[in-house]
Amino acid sequence: MLRYLPFLLILALWIYAFVDCLNTPENEVRGLPKLAWVIVILLFGEVLIGPVAWLIAGRPRAAAAARGGERKWVAPDDNPEFLKSLRRDQGDPPPAS
C-alpha cells in the first residue's frame, strides 16, 4: 500500500492545481493566460512541472488577492452602518457628532 503513496500524492497535487487554476478569475492569473496554464498543468502534470509551476508562478498571491478591494467581514457591533440601521428601525435620533 505504501508504494502507491507517491503516485497518489502526485495525483492529488495535479488535481488540486487543475481545479485551483479553473477556479481562479482570469484577471488574477499571473504569467500566462489561463488557458495556457490549464494546458501546462495537464501536459506536465505527471512530472510535477505543471502543477508546481502553477503554484509558484501562475497562482495569484495572497496579498494581492486581499488588496483586490474585497471587504473583510466585520462583526455587527463593530459595523457603523449596521448600528445606524438599528437606530433608524427603532426611531432613535442619530447621535450628535
Side-chain angles (χ1 to χ4, degrees):
M1 184 68 184
L2 196 55
R3 64 181 172 200
Y4 297 116
L5 186 61
F7 173 73
L8 292 176
L9 290 175
I10 290 171
L11 182 64
L13 181 64
W14 195 6
I15 292 171
Y16 173 77
F18 181 69
V19 171
D20 187 46
C21 182
L22 291 178
N23 287 332
T24 301
E26 181 77 37
N27 60 347
E28 293 182 13
V29 175
R30 297 184 300 148
L32 298 172
K34 187 173 178 177
L35 181 62
W37 276 116
V38 170
I39 292 170
V40 166
I41 291 169
L42 291 177
L43 287 179
F44 301 108
E46 290 184 39
V47 290
L48 289 180
I49 294 173
V52 171
W54 163 253
L55 294 175
I56 293 173
R59 189 173 192 211
R61 294 186 179 134
R67 281 185 276 125
E70 294 181 23
R71 298 179 68 188
K72 291 189 176 186
W73 185 82
V74 178
D77 57 345
D78 292 336
N79 187 343
E81 294 176 19
F82 176 75
L83 295 174
K84 287 178 189 175
S85 71
L86 286 178
R87 287 187 195 104
R88 273 184 266 138
D89 291 345
Q90 293 176 351
D92 293 342
S97 22

